Amino acid sequence: MAKTSRGLRVRPAGRLSRGRLYVSTPDGRSVAWYDRETGRVSVLAEDQCDAVLAALRPYLTGSYTVGPPPVPSREDLRRLALHPDDDLAPNRPGEPLLGELGHGIGTIGARSRARLRQDLLAQQRMGAELDELEGAGWRILHGVPLPGAGHIDHLLIGPAGVLCVRAVPGRRQRTQIGDLLLTVGRTEPRPDPRWIRRAAGHASRALAVAVTPALAVVDASRIEIAPTVRDIRVLRPGATATLAQEAGVLKPPETEALYTTARTIHTWL
């Protein structure tokens, strides 16, 4: 955090700000913000413009513009009107499992808790990597609820379209992905392929856009995919950077509009 001679401070606003920096007074009142993605410095009070630029000088990169805040778009107005309890954007990777593990003491057996911890670690690792795609024009949501029971682990909206992702712990064993079932090592087959297809279908209807089902396999020693599996995308840690290079489906305004719809819990329930 930086301080100017007039006491203004610069602070980041976290992952959801996509690199935005806020300039505030010592009492916490925001007077400006710098959006790195658009290169725009929005100043609320014109008489503080010089002090704001002085505070931001170490952070300004490339060309930038200075002026009053832009007129809010339709998506901005919908976001501002969204009640915090209905907003899915703050969800952390594995948010539903954190709640289940934290409040299920005494009702969940030791084996089930161990499985939940493995699922949680897989979602957290994959979610942290997916969050890095936000710098490439993607928007990410975690723990999106579905009607009845279950959650979409990760929902990706960006230049290459919309992906509905289910994270699977590979447990350093061979993972086999078939049309209907997924098997890790010698454990009982899991219906993850069927589940993610259904979840992607629900997401497609909720967002009125094509959604690609995807399985993210974490820490597998080897992944074998049946040749008949053509509709499910398989992701793995370290390989998601290829998504940052894909484009051609959604333009930035379309991405923002879909993200605004997807982050609202009423879209799903």
Side-chain angles (χ1 to χ4, degrees), residues 122 125-126 129 168 216-220 223 234-241:
R125 180 175 175 187
M126 204 67 207
E129 185 168 320
V168 179
V217 184
V218 181
D219 286 334
I223 300 176
V234 179
L235 307 174
R236 64 196 76 186
T240 56

Side-chain angles (χ1 to χ4, degrees), residues 79-217:
R79 174 177 52 80
L80 293 171
L82 184 61
H83 192 280
D85 291 342
D86 298 332
D87 190 0
L88 300 174
N91 281 5
R92 299 162 293 175
E95 187 85 26
L97 296 183
L98 286 168
E100 192 170 349
L101 284 168
H103 300 288
I105 298 175
T107 63
I108 302 178
R111 182 173 297 182
S112 295
R113 290 184 66 83
R115 178 182 56 80
L116 288 175
R117 289 194 186 97
Q118 291 177 345
D119 290 342
L120 175 60
L121 290 175
Q123 291 184 33
Q124 289 176 329
R125 180 175 175 187
M126 204 67 207
E129 185 168 320
L130 294 174
D131 283 343
E132 296 179 2
L133 291 172
E134 292 212 338
W138 287 80
R139 301 294 254 159
I140 318 296
L141 289 171
H142 306 290
V144 176
L146 294 175
H151 293 77
I152 297 172
D153 295 342
H154 317 288
L155 187 73
L156 284 61
I157 305 173
V162 183
L163 277 72
C164 177
V165 182
R166 184 173 180 87
V168 179
R171 300 184 299 182
R172 296 189 176 91
Q173 300 183 55
R174 182 182 66 169
T175 299
Q176 298 174 293
I177 301 175
D179 277 323
L180 302 178
L181 299 172
L182 178 149
T183 305
V184 178
R186 297 183 179 181
T187 61
E188 288 293 321
R190 304 162 42 131
D192 296 278
R194 286 183 292 178
W195 191 95
I196 197 60
R197 285 191 184 100
R198 289 197 300 268
H202 181 81
S204 180
R205 292 187 294 272
L207 300 176
V209 68
V211 177
T212 300
L215 293 172
V217 184

